[in-house]
Amino acid sequence: MWTRDTLHALLSERLQEFRLIAVCNREPYIHRHTPEGIRFAEPASGVVRALDPVMQATGGTWIAHGSGTADRETADEGGRLRVPPGKERYLLRRLWLSKEEEEGYYYGFSNETLWPLCHIAHQRPAFEEAHWNRYAAVNARFADAVVEEAGGDRALVFIQDYHFALLSKLVKERMPRAVVCQFWHIPWPNPEAFRICPWKSELLEGLLGNDLLSFHIQHHCNNFLETVDRELECRIDRENFEVMARGNHTLIRPHPISVDFEAIDREAGTPETSRRMEDLRRRWGLDGLRVALGVDRLDYTKGIPERLRAVDRFLYRHPEFVGRFVLLQVGVPSRTHIRAYRQLQDEVESLVERVNWNHRTATWEPVVFVPEQKDRSELLAYYRLADVCLVTSLHDGMNLVAKEFVASRCDRAGVLILSRFTGAAREFAQAILVNPYAVDATADAIHAALTMPAEEQASRMDRLRETVREQNVYKWVGKLLLQAARLEPTWVESPTR
Ligand code: ADQ
């Protein structure tokens, strides 16, 4: 069983010769000016939620964009500070980006090009040359920071996500002895979807600077290999899932991400969580109601309109639940600078209004929309009081909300309704799996969940919890980093490069 302590012990032994450098666009702790003074917040990001406990266990350096209004005041001249605040377990190196860099690299190429390109959720990707140029330039700035932080030592560089498709190659060109691995947290699409990108070869070549490139599930690895096969001159070892391009070898492997099961399980069972549950019951008037819960960033990949339509259909089909059911939708606004996200927020708000209009009584409405970020402890109270958790993504690399819900149910109750199009669905056969595009079937799933006998809930929940307990976040990173550390870098300088 992987735990924080075993990970710490194993990695401090096996990674002795390396300096561990993680690169992630988002920082784990953001400092902001508030009316009460400078305060820090932890962002609602799946990647950050997964990586922070790992860095706390291993130590090392995390390089990220410093995005908070008080970030400069709380770091030294080099943008460095030790985190978590008050615990100081690893080093955070903040990189300052100009407005133009943030616009082109983050909002533009990362989130208006690569995010829709990889998710295939019927949102057309934008292909702007200016965004691409900024993306490439910011990747180069992060490469400078990696070289600086390595300071000549042999480094194990662990890159996160689609913001840095060009980084591994840039790092290898300057630090050929470093071991470089990257985790791509979102799906990799099929070759037909990917081939429309004007910079497809540059992106693929950039990613093949890695010694190890990892996705959540085998299907995404297969898609990546097929894409490389169609688009690049290279050799592919299908037996070993390895690509050889210009002398460099890149292993392609699935490593399903997860959550810190023990920590969530422990906190979810405390009297403090019970007290918070009581507060929430009072605040939302939940007495006598069966509760369905949605927790998401407001993102068009998460299938929130589809979920609301399914609730609407469910109430038409099962009027006996009118006045006896509520959907609590906790949806933190995200990437609101991008038009598609503002449109989604409008769409969600008007659908909430419509569903409430369709079914409301003098004293009751079926949907409560909470457009806020909640702290971790409060989220656990939401998970604990739900009869059903609804995860209806149209496409999702993994989906950590599903895993957090399961980990928090120390009472062995509650039912998970889970989209088939999430990575989590591959591990969670005991959830009720749905196609979120099929509104009627999702409405039926809500009914099945609300009428499931307690013994069946408990036996399904036991199996789900066993999976998350065993496949926890420490196992994810431990196996990935140990696999990377065993690799001999094959990078050779060649005139063609
Ligand atoms: P995300 O798309 O951000 O992650 P997800 O995996 O669901 O999606 O993680 C979201 C995280 O934010 C969860 O930890 C959740 O608790 C938190 N969160 C969501 N809404 C919140 C709210 N209102 N208040 C507070 N916290 C909230 C990307 C990929 C996923 C992949 C992860 C990790 O898109 O497929 O699972 O990275 O690899």
Side-chain angles (χ1 to χ4, degrees):
M1 190 66 80
W2 288 78
T3 65
R4 193 175 180 282
D5 292 339
T6 54
L7 179 77
H8 180 70
L10 246 174
L11 295 189
S12 26
E13 180 198 323
R14 305 271 181 90
L15 303 188
Q16 253 176 24
E17 54 176 312
F18 294 104
R19 184 180 284 247
L20 180 62
I21 301 177
V23 185
C24 178
N25 170 69
R26 185 71 71 209
E27 53 183 340
Y29 300 92
I30 306 178
H31 284 93
R32 294 200 181 98
H33 288 288
T34 73
E36 293 80 44
I38 292 179
R39 293 283 182 275
F40 72 86
E42 300 169 49
S45 142
V47 180
V48 169
R49 293 278 158 102
L51 198 60
D52 176 61
V54 166
M55 291 298 287
Q56 290 201 38
T58 56
T61 304
W62 177 320
I63 305 176
H65 169 209
S67 59
T69 50
D71 270 359
R72 281 181 198 261
E73 285 106 304
T74 46
D76 69 12
E77 276 171 21
R80 297 184 182 88
L81 68 155
R82 294 201 65 83
V83 291
K87 287 194 194 147
E88 313 201 336
R89 294 210 165 109
Y90 62 95
L91 188 75
L92 170 62
R93 158 79 193 273
R94 289 173 171 155
L95 206 79
W96 315 117
L97 298 183
S98 68
K99 216 166 153 177
E100 293 72 25
E101 284 175 323
E102 201 179 342
E103 172 88 35
Y105 141 81
Y106 178 72
Y107 288 108
F109 200 75
S110 297
N111 285 319
E112 287 190 286
T113 307
L114 287 176
W115 180 269
L117 183 71
C118 290
H119 275 95
I120 321 183
H122 309 286
Q123 179 67 34
R124 190 173 170 152
F127 297 110
E128 293 282 342
E129 181 104 30
H131 290 171
W132 162 252
N133 289 335
R134 287 273 183 224
Y135 180 85
V138 172
N139 270 243
R141 288 200 53 209
F142 273 87
D144 290 343
V146 171
V147 174
E148 262 174 57
E149 294 303 322
D153 290 349
R154 181 148 192 239
L156 196 163
V157 184
F158 183 25
I159 304 171
Q160 307 302 312
D161 234 352
Y162 60 101
H163 311 90
F164 300 114
L166 309 177
L167 185 56
S168 67
K169 182 166 177 256
L170 296 169
V171 168
K172 272 295 169 104
E173 280 166 356
R174 293 163 66 186
M175 296 172 27
R177 283 177 57 247
V179 171
V180 184
C181 56
Q182 182 156 8
F183 192 80
W184 193 263
H185 290 258
I186 63 177
W188 190 274
N190 59 55
E192 287 72 27
F194 191 74
R195 68 197 275 240
I196 63 171
C197 179
W199 303 283
K200 56 189 173 188
S201 306
E202 289 88 336
L203 290 169
L204 293 171
E205 280 171 10
L207 284 168
L208 292 175
N210 282 295
D211 298 295
L212 167 67
L213 174 62
S214 180
F215 299 89
H216 292 291
I217 56 173
Q218 186 64 45
H219 181 60
H220 301 154
C221 296
N222 296 352
N223 278 349
F224 182 79
L225 223 65
E226 288 309 320
T227 309
V228 168
D229 198 15
R230 297 263 187 106
E231 303 293 346
L232 288 188
E233 286 270 328
C234 60
R235 234 159 31 85
I236 292 181
D237 175 351
R238 284 181 188 273
E239 201 94 314
N240 197 30
F241 260 76
E242 193 171 22
V243 183
M244 284 144 284
R246 300 182 175 183
N248 198 47
H249 292 226
T250 306
L251 263 193
I252 314 297
R253 285 287 190 283
H255 285 285
I257 205 167
S258 192
V259 295
D260 186 342
F261 177 89
E262 301 294 341
I264 295 177
D265 179 54
R266 205 178 317 118
E267 189 176 348
T270 58
E272 175 59 17
T273 302
S274 306
R275 192 192 58 70
R276 285 172 184 269
M277 286 163 67
E278 282 318 308
D279 287 351
L280 291 175
R281 284 213 178 90
R282 260 196 307 277
R283 173 142 109 241
W284 303 121
L286 302 179
D287 276 349
L289 299 180
R290 309 297 305 282
V291 178
L293 175 71
V295 175
D296 319 75
R297 284 185 306 102
L298 283 179
D299 192 298
Y300 52 78
T301 60
K302 302 292 180 188
I304 302 166
E306 286 73 11
R307 186 180 310 165
L308 289 163
R309 288 191 195 101
V311 164
D312 190 42
R313 195 71 50 91
F314 158 71
L315 288 169
Y316 278 125
R317 287 187 168 192
H318 300 283
E320 69 276 16
F321 279 94
V322 167
R324 294 180 47 221
F325 164 92
V326 70
L327 169 69
L328 290 180
Q329 176 60 52
V330 186
V332 57
S334 174
R335 304 174 191 166
T336 46
H337 186 55
I338 297 173
R339 191 154 60 118
Y341 285 77
R342 291 196 300 277
Q343 284 170 345
L344 174 77
Q345 209 167 326
D346 290 347
E347 185 186 359
V348 168
E349 278 166 12
S350 75
L351 265 167
V352 168
E353 202 281 327
R354 161 62 61 99
V355 178
N356 282 341
W357 169 259
N358 288 347
H359 304 282
R360 69 161 55 107
T361 66
T363 54
W364 167 87
E365 286 190 334
V367 184
V368 173
F369 180 41
V370 191
E372 288 162 24
Q373 173 162 347
K374 299 293 175 194
D375 69 32
R376 294 182 200 213
S377 307
E378 195 169 2
L379 263 192
L380 293 187
Y382 274 97
Y383 289 137
R384 277 291 314 275
L385 57 73
D387 295 294
V388 184
C389 180
L390 272 162
V391 174
T392 51
S393 311
L394 306 181
H395 204 181
D396 217 330
M398 174 55 70
N399 194 281
L400 293 180
V401 168
K403 294 194 169 181
E404 290 166 1
F405 172 66
V406 164
S408 73
R409 295 315 292 251
C410 46
D411 58 343
R412 305 171 64 217
V415 180
L416 175 63
I417 295 181
L418 179 63
S419 162
R420 293 183 181 284
F421 310 131
T422 60
R426 311 283 165 131
E427 296 170 70
F428 279 180
Q430 297 79 18
I432 300 186
L433 297 181
V434 294
N435 169 357
Y437 291 95
V439 172
D440 291 278
T442 310
D444 289 346
I446 296 174
H447 185 256
L450 289 174
T451 51
M452 187 182 284
E455 314 81 71
E456 186 179 346
Q457 289 187 32
S459 80
R460 285 179 185 242
M461 191 51 87
D462 286 348
R463 303 271 297 278
L464 292 169
R465 284 168 59 76
E466 226 17 76
T467 303
V468 185
R469 188 197 302 274
E470 213 232 305
Q471 302 288 337
N472 61 32
V473 70
Y474 299 115
K475 182 169 180 182
W476 167 70
V477 78
K479 291 194 82 166
L480 194 153
L481 290 181
L482 289 182
Q483 184 165 54
R486 278 197 300 271
L487 296 171
E488 264 313 306
T490 50
W491 187 265
V492 281
E493 287 310 320
S494 83
T496 51
R497 189 170 280 124

